């Protein structure tokens, strides 16, 4: 689970972003002006900031500047300002990404996931072991002490997706969009079937069901 600071002075937009991100397992902290944003950032362990530019009291660019004095935490600028100069200024202040309003909530979620993956996780190994089971992601194979395990490529892709997002809850819709595409005619319960098959074939206990939301890959210490 990641802790996200959502800095947006329009309360309806802020609330909508927070509600969209919660089902993915994120903890969200809303801030409605630049001053509060800096205070919340200092008081909490923040994994990523979604930051508007036109804010009361302290501008978003000033907030970004202050954050960069002490931290490399990913910052995604989300603003109605779309001129080239402001975008260049944002990247000069070391913003990690820039989105303009109106925006797609799905695309925002994807960009947040990508930034978290790049900032917080090592590259995924080509092979991974679960007890005596070894999965080869590049070769789309799995085997144990008895030999090769019959497994589908899409099941390997699903396992890879969960491992890449270790500790983060992925909703069924997010999994479907990622593996089959948003327009593919398939029901979300298909994910449950694939999860069931993965657990059975590979004897996995590290894929956790989060009731009413989705699944996450979690390794017990």
């Amino acid at each position: 689970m990641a802790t996200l600071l959502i800095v947006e002075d329009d309360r309806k937009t802020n609330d909508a972003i927070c509600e969209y991100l919660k089902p993915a397992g994120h903890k969200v902290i809303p801030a409605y002006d630049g001053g509060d944003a800096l205070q919340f950032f200092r008081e909490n362990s923040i994994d990523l900031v979604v930051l508007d530019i036109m804010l009361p009291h302290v501008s978003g660019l000033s907030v970004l500047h202050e954050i960069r004095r002490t931290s490399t935490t990913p910052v995604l600028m989300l603003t109605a300002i779309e001129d080239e100069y402001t975008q260049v200024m944002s990247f000069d202040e070391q913003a990690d990404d820039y989105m303009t309003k109106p925006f797609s909530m799905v695309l925002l979620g994807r960009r947040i996931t990508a930034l978290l993956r790049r900032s917080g996780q090592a590259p995924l190994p080509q092979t991974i072991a679960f007890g005596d089971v070894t999965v080869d992601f590049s070769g789309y194979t799995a085997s144990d002490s008895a030999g090769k395990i019959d497994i589908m490529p899409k099941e390997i892709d699903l396992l890879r997706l969960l491992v890449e997002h270790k500790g983060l809850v992925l909703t069924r819709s997010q999994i479907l969009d990622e593996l089959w595409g948003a327009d593919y005619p398939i029901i979300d319960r298909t994910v449950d079937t694939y999860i069931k098959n993965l657990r059975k074939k590979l004897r996995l206990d590290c894929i956790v069901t989060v009731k009413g939301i989705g699944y996450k890959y979690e390794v017990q210490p």
Side-chain angles (χ1 to χ4, degrees), residues 7-23:
V7 189
E8 164 63 61
D9 63 323
D10 183 89
R11 289 181 177 267
K12 288 185 177 180
T13 302
N14 198 318
D15 291 347
I17 294 171
C18 290
E19 289 305 310
Y20 180 80
L21 295 172
K22 284 178 184 177

Side-chain angles (χ1 to χ4, degrees), residues 7-9 34 50-56 58-64 76-83 85-87 89-90 95 98-101:
V7 189
E8 164 63 61
D9 63 323
V50 176
L51 181 60
D52 191 8
I53 290 180
M54 299 177 66
L55 296 169
V58 182
S59 74
L61 287 176
S62 295
V63 170
L64 175 60
L76 187 158
M77 309 303 288
L78 181 65
T79 175
I81 303 175
E82 53 186 338
D83 65 275
Y85 174 78
T86 304
Q87 294 187 48
M89 284 285 292
S90 298
Y98 194 105
M99 287 185 68
T100 56
K101 303 172 184 175

Side-chain angles (χ1 to χ4, degrees), residues 7-161:
V7 189
E8 164 63 61
D9 63 323
D10 183 89
R11 289 181 177 267
K12 288 185 177 180
T13 302
N14 198 318
D15 291 347
I17 294 171
C18 290
E19 289 305 310
Y20 180 80
L21 295 172
K22 284 178 184 177
H26 299 304
K27 175 184 177 183
V28 292
I29 301 175
Y32 305 103
D33 65 64
D36 284 347
L38 288 172
Q39 180 180 342
F40 295 158
F41 186 84
R42 296 184 187 112
E43 293 176 349
N44 297 273
S45 179
I46 302 297
D47 297 302
L48 182 142
V49 181
V50 176
L51 181 60
D52 191 8
I53 290 180
M54 299 177 66
L55 296 169
H57 307 309
V58 182
S59 74
L61 287 176
S62 295
V63 170
L64 175 60
H65 180 78
E66 288 300 313
I67 288 174
R68 283 292 173 260
R69 291 179 64 184
T70 59
S71 174
T72 58
T73 297
V75 177
L76 187 158
M77 309 303 288
L78 181 65
T79 175
I81 303 175
E82 53 186 338
D83 65 275
E84 182 178 306
Y85 174 78
T86 304
Q87 294 187 48
V88 170
M89 284 285 292
S90 298
F91 287 117
D92 284 347
E93 290 289 348
Q94 300 179 57
D96 295 275
D97 203 351
Y98 194 105
M99 287 185 68
T100 56
K101 303 172 184 175
F103 63 97
S104 159
M105 200 70 76
V106 173
L107 184 56
L108 174 64
R110 293 289 178 81
R111 290 193 176 188
I112 287 172
T113 298
L115 288 173
L116 289 171
R117 184 168 61 244
R118 291 202 298 266
S119 67
Q121 296 187 6
L124 185 69
Q126 292 303 308
T127 62
I128 189 168
F130 305 94
D132 71 334
V133 174
T134 299
V135 177
D136 181 349
F137 289 120
S138 59
Y140 281 86
T141 60
S143 60
D144 60 13
S145 56
K148 188 175 180 180
I149 297 172
D150 183 20
I151 191 165
M152 298 168 58
K154 193 66 75 175
E155 291 167 348
I156 295 285
D157 285 337
L158 173 55
L159 179 60
R160 184 206 299 269
L161 181 67

